[in-house]
Each structure stands twice: as structure tokens, then as C-alpha cells.
Amino acid sequence: MATTTETMTINMGPQHPSTHGVLRLVLELDGEQIVKAVPHIGYLHRGVEKLAESRTYHQALPLTDRLDYLAPMSNNLGYVLAVEKLLGITDEIPERAKVVRVLMAELTRIKSHLVWLATHALDIGAMTVFIYCFRERERVMDMYEQISGARMTSNYFRVGGLSADLPEGIEKDMREFAIEMPEHVDMYEGLLTGNKIWQKRIIGVGEISGEEAIDIGLTGPSLRGSGVDWDLRRDNPYSGYEEYDFNVPVRNECDTWARYKVRLDEIRESSKLVIQALDKLKPGPILADVPKVCLPPKQDVVNTIEGLIHHFKIISEGFKPEPGEVYVGIEAPKGELGFYLVSDGGPRPYRMKIRPPSLLNLQALPQMAEGRMLADLVAIIGTLDIVLGDIDR
Amino acid sequence: MTDQAVVEKIKAKFSSSVLEVKEHRGETTVTVAKDDIVAICTFCKEELGFNMLADLCAVDGLDMGLDPRFLVVYNLYNLTSKTRLRLKAPVGADDARIDTVCGVWGAANWMERECWDLSGITFNNHPDPRRILMPDDWEGHPLRKDYPVQGPDREPYQGRTV
């Protein structure tokens, strides 16, 4: 007797632990094979772009912390660089502020990649790595707390520089952490790289060629895992990255394995960058000398009427960039994070459009998953390193 | 290729479609007629090497008194020469539609869906014209300037009255 088979449509997520809270995937399955995958990215929507348009440029800064909440300082950096470009004060940023920005951006990259590795490994079934990665991440979180007062929503950078200087003694902790970190990465590799189960789960899974990756808008480690040698830190340097010596890891396998290796190598490179930044760190001002934009020193605010008036005007009215528009993209841990700002000459961004890396990376999911087995989908979601706050702004 | 050379090539090929060329903070913006947007984008990709669509969005010019009201903005990137270019196409409020560039860059698919969802620009011939961030039955487009920040059917907070 002839038998007929039918495809079955099921929901994966949002409850599934690998779908990060609000992601829902509608899957059409033929047995265990994925025929079609349609992502629904959920309703986390907090309207960050709309909110930013009703606040001054300074007031919009804390909103950016909450985009990719695993890499708040990277988001801050992208935003302040865009506002500084809009104001035309990019060259005014003091050297110390630029070095601290690089320092924090690289620690943030390590921190973000640690959560990626922890959850990716956990999704696939390796629990030990999760615990080790969070142990190391905790040290960066402690530094975040000492520097900005907050463990997650740091709001540390300012238009023109930084909100405060580094606390005393933290440089030593950072250096120790950066020296130790490559050894930790070796240990993660010792647990995973040679592991047959790990290899079977990720080698050849979620393949996407370099050309397809560029076409669909993949950026960051996901693009570099497809053999495309492209990194904004090197190719469109910002915040003084051109003065640092670092490699851009690239792999040609185009699969989950390649993206895994690229990210691990990036943690090693970021550790090198942290040490270089610490070597470069010299005493000096942390805020640009642009009185119409940057708040005056606290002693002037409390001791002089001019300082007080200045402070009041910047806080209450904000500053007014001349009409125009800019787009600034930075190499965030997950890929290109871009801010497109339009000024109408007023104190608020007339239009703020965020180019989130996770949204475009997730767009590639159906392409990577269709034709694969259902179990592979968990590895593919993990390899994209998505953060829903970044996607569903 | 310098920005100027890129602009000259676009002008030479689409002389009647280039409406304005502007430079601000070292970034070049070319405003073009919306009817030729697909041809211009294809030219930018295939002849000028802008192989990545970095970003796509709309700007609602209502509060700036723009006529036509909307601008659809394309931020392009050339991975070989490491240069950026911005294209803009004005779109009127009465006929807020423009052809899709999904056939040029696959990345445009979700970006155009978002642009439709939040700004209300219809993309002709889009392969999957569904909302992406808001629920399917949502009314209105939140990023339009005449859409209230606090959302529909809610009064703005007036402060304590008692």
C-alpha cells in the first residue's frame, strides 16, 4: 500500500531556551528536516528611535545602553561617535578619552563573546563552558560597576568624551584580566574544539557563502566566518583604532564551526588590544574643550555663576548641531552597529535610525537553516549571536 | 574611486534623475528620483561596487515642511574601496510608495518591511510585504511625525494634578 507524507508546521519558541525570550520560529518540517523557517521577532519593541526623537542628544544616550544589552558600551560608543560627527567635533576628543573608549569597547567585546559562547555551548548541550564563561564575564561586570556605577546599563560615554575618569587601581585589574583571558580561551577550546559531539553538531552546519553573506547583510564575526576579510575597526577606523596592532580573524569554512573559531580568536585579539590600550593610557583630560556641548568642570559649576549657567543651559536645552545628516558604523561585537542621525538644527535628533547587527544577521537564518535538520537549528540560532533587544528596538 | 568620481558616474548615466548632491561632514548624499531607484541601485552595485546595503530607512519631513514629505534613505557600502554612499529618494504623502530593491540586495527585504511597518512607505513588488516589528493588525505607522510618542489612545502625562 502506498503511503503519503505531509509536512508539519510547528512553533519553535518563544519559550524554547535557545530563542532568547521573544523570538518565534514557524517551522515547516518534513520529518525532522526543515523545509521552511519563518522568524517572527516578537514584540519587545520599546520604540527607542521614536523616543530618541523626543529627547535631547544627551538624554537619548541612556536609551542606547538598552539596545544590545550584552554590549552597552559599544552601543554608547556608536551613538556618541555619530553625534560628535554631526557636531563636527570628532578631532576635539582628548587622547585619554579615545584610549579609554577603545579599552572599554574591547572589554565589552570579550564580555559579549563570553555570553555567546556560554549560551551557544549550553544550547548544544555543553554546560561546563557556560559556568566558566560566566565566571570570566563576571570580572568584566565588576569593572563595569566600578567604572560606571552600573553592571549593565553603563551610560558611561559622553558626547565629547567620558562621564568620569577610570577609578584608581582598575588598570591593574584590567591588565591581569587581559593577560589571563587567552589562557581561559585555551581552556574553553580544550573542552570543546576536540570534542567529537561538538564537532558533529557544528561542522558543516548553517553554511553561507561570502557572497550570500554580503548580499543578505551579515556583518561581524558571522561575515568573517564566511571568508570576508572586513572589520570596521581596521577598514574605517574610529576612536584611534588605526594606531593599534591587531589581526582580524577570518575563516573560510562558512559554517558554524568557522564562526565559533573566529569569535574565540577575536577574544584573544581583544585581550591584546586591551593591553595595548593600557600601555597607551596617559593622564589627561577626559572631555573635549567644547563649552557649548560638554558640561563644565564641577568646581566651576559650584564656584562660578558662569559655570552654573552653562551647566543649566546644556542640561535644560541641550545643544544644537547644524542641519545635516551623518551615518557612523562601528564594529560592535555582533557586527556593524550604525547610527544614522538627521539634525534639523534643533536640540533633539530629528531622526535617529539604528542599524542593528542582530536584525540583519537573523535575516540570514532561513537561508542557513532550510534543508537542515531540526536539531541543527539550535546551533544556527546560537551561531548568529542574536540579542532581541538589538533586533526589536 | 572618490566620492566625486562616483557622483559623476551616476550623473552621467542618470542625468535627469539626479535631483541634488550634497556633502556634509565628509559624507556624500545623492538625491535621486524615485522612479529610477532600482536602476540606480543596480548601477551602484554592479558598476560602482557598492555591494552591501548597510542600512535603509525613511525620514518623515512633516515637521521640516519637506515636499514631498518622505525621504527613503539608502546607506551603501563598497567593501573593496571601503567607501560609503548615501542615496535618497523623495516620496510623496499621497502616494507613499517606491519600488523594492530586494532584487538588488537581499538585505533590503527586512529593512523595507521595517520601513513599511514604522514609516508607512509601501515597497512595490516586495516579496514579503508584512509588518515586522508591530502586530499584523496594528493601525498606523509609529515613526511618522504625526504619530504620538506615547502611542495611540493615550493622553500625554500632564504631571500631578492633585
PDB file of all heavy atoms in Angstrom, chain B residues 88-101:
ATOM      1  N   LYS B  88      19.167  59.083  -1.633  1.00  0.00           N
ATOM      2  CA  LYS B  88      17.874  59.431  -1.043  1.00  0.00           C
ATOM      3  C   LYS B  88      16.869  59.595  -2.170  1.00  0.00           C
ATOM      4  O   LYS B  88      17.209  60.130  -3.232  1.00  0.00           O
ATOM      5  CB  LYS B  88      17.970  60.761  -0.275  1.00  0.00           C
ATOM      6  CG  LYS B  88      18.759  60.643   0.996  1.00  0.00           C
ATOM      7  CD  LYS B  88      18.387  61.697   2.027  1.00  0.00           C
ATOM      8  CE  LYS B  88      18.737  63.087   1.609  1.00  0.00           C
ATOM      9  NZ  LYS B  88      18.661  64.037   2.754  1.00  0.00           N
ATOM     10  N   ALA B  89      15.653  59.153  -1.919  1.00  0.00           N
ATOM     11  CA  ALA B  89      14.608  59.302  -2.923  1.00  0.00           C
ATOM     12  C   ALA B  89      13.372  59.923  -2.265  1.00  0.00           C
ATOM     13  O   ALA B  89      12.839  59.350  -1.315  1.00  0.00           O
ATOM     14  CB  ALA B  89      14.265  57.947  -3.517  1.00  0.00           C
ATOM     15  N   PRO B  90      12.953  61.091  -2.728  1.00  0.00           N
ATOM     16  CA  PRO B  90      11.746  61.709  -2.151  1.00  0.00           C
ATOM     17  C   PRO B  90      10.488  60.939  -2.548  1.00  0.00           C
ATOM     18  O   PRO B  90      10.371  60.486  -3.685  1.00  0.00           O
ATOM     19  CB  PRO B  90      11.728  63.116  -2.784  1.00  0.00           C
ATOM     20  CG  PRO B  90      13.037  63.282  -3.463  1.00  0.00           C
ATOM     21  CD  PRO B  90      13.560  61.914  -3.769  1.00  0.00           C
ATOM     22  N   VAL B  91       9.582  60.805  -1.589  1.00  0.00           N
ATOM     23  CA  VAL B  91       8.325  60.075  -1.814  1.00  0.00           C
ATOM     24  C   VAL B  91       7.198  60.916  -1.221  1.00  0.00           C
ATOM     25  O   VAL B  91       7.294  61.357  -0.073  1.00  0.00           O
ATOM     26  CB  VAL B  91       8.381  58.691  -1.109  1.00  0.00           C
ATOM     27  CG1 VAL B  91       7.039  58.010  -1.156  1.00  0.00           C
ATOM     28  CG2 VAL B  91       9.450  57.806  -1.728  1.00  0.00           C
ATOM     29  N   GLY B  92       6.160  61.135  -1.995  1.00  0.00           N
ATOM     30  CA  GLY B  92       5.062  61.999  -1.546  1.00  0.00           C
ATOM     31  C   GLY B  92       4.146  61.319  -0.543  1.00  0.00           C
ATOM     32  O   GLY B  92       4.088  60.085  -0.472  1.00  0.00           O
ATOM     33  N   ALA B  93       3.402  62.115   0.227  1.00  0.00           N
ATOM     34  CA  ALA B  93       2.497  61.551   1.239  1.00  0.00           C
ATOM     35  C   ALA B  93       1.292  60.889   0.590  1.00  0.00           C
ATOM     36  O   ALA B  93       0.785  59.868   1.078  1.00  0.00           O
ATOM     37  CB  ALA B  93       2.055  62.650   2.195  1.00  0.00           C
ATOM     38  N   ASP B  94       0.807  61.453  -0.520  1.00  0.00           N
ATOM     39  CA  ASP B  94      -0.393  60.899  -1.168  1.00  0.00           C
ATOM     40  C   ASP B  94      -0.114  59.551  -1.812  1.00  0.00           C
ATOM     41  O   ASP B  94      -1.004  58.708  -1.907  1.00  0.00           O
ATOM     42  CB  ASP B  94      -0.895  61.864  -2.259  1.00  0.00           C
ATOM     43  CG  ASP B  94      -1.278  63.198  -1.649  1.00  0.00           C
ATOM     44  OD1 ASP B  94      -1.573  63.209  -0.439  1.00  0.00           O
ATOM     45  OD2 ASP B  94      -1.248  64.210  -2.362  1.00  0.00           O
ATOM     46  N   ASP B  95       1.095  59.380  -2.278  1.00  0.00           N
ATOM     47  CA  ASP B  95       1.440  58.147  -2.956  1.00  0.00           C
ATOM     48  C   ASP B  95       2.763  57.640  -2.370  1.00  0.00           C
ATOM     49  O   ASP B  95       3.800  57.656  -3.030  1.00  0.00           O
ATOM     50  CB  ASP B  95       1.585  58.414  -4.463  1.00  0.00           C
ATOM     51  CG  ASP B  95       1.799  57.131  -5.238  1.00  0.00           C
ATOM     52  OD1 ASP B  95       1.346  56.084  -4.758  1.00  0.00           O
ATOM     53  OD2 ASP B  95       2.441  57.179  -6.302  1.00  0.00           O
ATOM     54  N   ALA B  96       2.677  57.245  -1.080  1.00  0.00           N
ATOM     55  CA  ALA B  96       3.904  56.873  -0.364  1.00  0.00           C
ATOM     56  C   ALA B  96       4.349  55.478  -0.776  1.00  0.00           C
ATOM     57  O   ALA B  96       4.222  54.509  -0.021  1.00  0.00           O
ATOM     58  CB  ALA B  96       3.680  56.949   1.143  1.00  0.00           C
ATOM     59  N   ARG B  97       4.852  55.373  -1.965  1.00  0.00           N
ATOM     60  CA  ARG B  97       5.333  54.073  -2.443  1.00  0.00           C
ATOM     61  C   ARG B  97       6.545  54.246  -3.335  1.00  0.00           C
ATOM     62  O   ARG B  97       6.735  55.283  -3.955  1.00  0.00           O
ATOM     63  CB  ARG B  97       4.227  53.307  -3.174  1.00  0.00           C
ATOM     64  CG  ARG B  97       3.516  54.088  -4.262  1.00  0.00           C
ATOM     65  CD  ARG B  97       2.434  53.255  -4.951  1.00  0.00           C
ATOM     66  NE  ARG B  97       1.392  52.816  -4.045  1.00  0.00           N
ATOM     67  CZ  ARG B  97       1.114  51.541  -3.798  1.00  0.00           C
ATOM     68  NH1 ARG B  97       1.816  50.587  -4.368  1.00  0.00           N
ATOM     69  NH2 ARG B  97       0.142  51.214  -2.990  1.00  0.00           N
ATOM     70  N   ILE B  98       7.372  53.210  -3.339  1.00  0.00           N
ATOM     71  CA  ILE B  98       8.600  53.216  -4.128  1.00  0.00           C
ATOM     72  C   ILE B  98       8.910  51.760  -4.466  1.00  0.00           C
ATOM     73  O   ILE B  98       8.480  50.854  -3.745  1.00  0.00           O
ATOM     74  CB  ILE B  98       9.757  53.885  -3.333  1.00  0.00           C
ATOM     75  CG1 ILE B  98      10.997  54.087  -4.199  1.00  0.00           C
ATOM     76  CG2 ILE B  98      10.098  53.103  -2.074  1.00  0.00           C
ATOM     77  CD1 ILE B  98      12.044  54.984  -3.552  1.00  0.00           C
ATOM     78  N   ASP B  99       9.627  51.536  -5.562  1.00  0.00           N
ATOM     79  CA  ASP B  99       9.928  50.151  -5.952  1.00  0.00           C
ATOM     80  C   ASP B  99      10.905  49.506  -4.974  1.00  0.00           C
ATOM     81  O   ASP B  99      11.792  50.163  -4.437  1.00  0.00           O
ATOM     82  CB  ASP B  99      10.537  50.124  -7.363  1.00  0.00           C
ATOM     83  CG  ASP B  99       9.496  50.492  -8.421  1.00  0.00           C
ATOM     84  OD1 ASP B  99       8.297  50.351  -8.121  1.00  0.00           O
ATOM     85  OD2 ASP B  99       9.893  50.933  -9.507  1.00  0.00           O
ATOM     86  N   THR B 100      10.725  48.207  -4.799  1.00  0.00           N
ATOM     87  CA  THR B 100      11.627  47.483  -3.884  1.00  0.00           C
ATOM     88  C   THR B 100      13.007  47.299  -4.514  1.00  0.00           C
ATOM     89  O   THR B 100      13.126  47.187  -5.734  1.00  0.00           O
ATOM     90  CB  THR B 100      11.046  46.105  -3.522  1.00  0.00           C
ATOM     91  OG1 THR B 100      11.991  45.404  -2.722  1.00  0.00           O
ATOM     92  CG2 THR B 100      10.778  45.260  -4.751  1.00  0.00           C
ATOM     93  N   VAL B 101      14.039  47.277  -3.662  1.00  0.00           N
ATOM     94  CA  VAL B 101      15.385  46.962  -4.167  1.00  0.00           C
ATOM     95  C   VAL B 101      15.835  45.583  -3.675  1.00  0.00           C
ATOM     96  O   VAL B 101      17.022  45.287  -3.648  1.00  0.00           O
ATOM     97  CB  VAL B 101      16.412  48.056  -3.775  1.00  0.00           C
ATOM     98  CG1 VAL B 101      16.115  49.356  -4.485  1.00  0.00           C
ATOM     99  CG2 VAL B 101      16.486  48.250  -2.266  1.00  0.00           C
TER     100      VAL B 101
END
